[in-house]
Amino acid sequence: MLDPALLRHQPADLAERLRTSRGFELDVSALESLEADRKRIQVRTQELQSLRNSRSKAIGQAKAKGEDVSAIMAEVAAFADELKASEVALDELREKIEAISMGIPNLPADDVPAGADENDNVEQARWGTPRQFDFKVLDHVELGARNGWLDGETAAKLSGSRFTVLRGPIARLHRALAQFMVDLHTGEHGYEETNPAAEVRGRPVQDRRG
């Protein structure tokens, strides 16, 4: 996740790094405007909160002395609406800034070489020799779909994209892996297998009668 401090204190430097490493254009002026508004409203909100707390304490002290608190209460009521509006505005600004930050890609480490695509990757180590095949190599999605064992089209209708329905041997393999995990942890790692009731009672009703 991107360091929020970079957004707040170094937006121009961040924008340049994103441009050169990711090809991403960060709207620095919009971000700086939002951040300036956030700081201004946050300061005012904290001032109003501090004032509310101090005047509320003064009301309690005045009441304890039997003094008239109507003037203090009127003062508190006078800035209550401003405080509420300020808190709402501050939340909205934070949401806008967060929305921008969530759309910014992560920065690569400083030692990662610049490159346009995967062809510019630098090989760090190699183990073994890649196998050579005399036929077209298919990925697991193509292999599964060929026999109808991986059904992404049906899954998309049920749950959305990036899901799949498993059928036949792949479904059995999936179940076997889950069974293997349960057997391993209950048999060797000290876990206890538990099958809870299918229904759970609601919160008990308390009898408030005397």
Side-chain angles (χ1 to χ4, degrees):
M1 184 176 179
L2 196 66
D3 186 354
L6 293 176
L7 282 175
R8 293 178 181 175
H9 307 302
Q10 305 175 45
D13 292 341
L14 173 62
E16 180 60 26
R17 293 176 63 187
L18 289 169
R19 185 180 301 109
T20 57
S21 65
R22 294 296 196 185
F24 182 87
E25 292 294 334
L26 177 63
D27 191 340
V28 176
S29 60
L31 182 62
E32 289 179 333
S33 177
L34 289 171
E35 185 62 26
D37 288 342
R38 183 198 65 79
K39 290 179 180 178
R40 174 177 53 81
I41 295 179
Q42 181 167 317
V43 169
R44 181 55 179 165
T45 300
Q46 291 172 341
E47 291 175 348
L48 291 169
Q49 290 172 339
S50 177
L51 181 59
R52 177 192 59 188
N53 294 338
S54 64
R55 302 315 288 161
S56 296
K57 184 178 180 180
I59 290 174
Q61 293 173 340
K63 284 184 176 181
K65 296 177 182 179
E67 299 174 351
D68 183 12
V69 297
S70 58
I72 305 177
M73 294 183 67
E75 182 183 0
V76 172
F79 63 77
D81 290 341
E82 182 186 355
L83 174 58
K84 182 177 180 180
S86 183
E87 290 174 337
V88 170
L90 184 58
D91 287 339
E92 291 176 350
L93 284 169
R94 286 171 174 166
E95 290 176 359
K96 291 179 180 179
I97 295 174
E98 182 178 1
I100 292 176
S101 66
M102 293 298 290
I104 299 176
N106 287 328
L107 290 170
D110 293 335
D111 60 349
V112 174
D117 53 37
E118 63 182 12
N119 295 318
D120 294 322
N121 289 343
V122 178
E123 186 176 285
Q124 299 295 314
R126 180 184 288 259
W127 183 86
T129 302
R131 294 179 60 187
Q132 300 295 324
F133 300 94
D134 58 0
F135 55 85
K136 180 183 178 181
V137 179
L138 303 178
D139 63 20
H140 71 284
V141 175
E142 293 176 297
L143 289 171
R146 183 172 61 183
N147 295 305
W149 298 340
L150 287 179
D151 187 351
E153 183 177 345
T154 300
K157 296 177 181 178
L158 295 172
S159 305
S161 61
R162 303 184 69 179
F163 287 90
T164 185
V165 172
L166 306 181
R167 290 195 173 95
I170 294 183
R172 290 196 295 275
L173 176 61
H174 185 271
R175 174 165 49 85
L177 289 173
Q179 185 66 51
F180 170 74
M181 184 279 295
V182 173
D183 290 344
L184 175 66
H185 288 291
T186 56
E188 299 183 20
H189 297 160
Y191 286 82
E192 180 183 35
E193 185 171 353
T194 303
N195 190 348
E199 295 185 8
V200 180
R201 294 179 59 186
R203 214 174 157 184
V205 178
Q206 295 182 351
D207 192 341
R208 296 175 180 269
R209 294 174 297 178

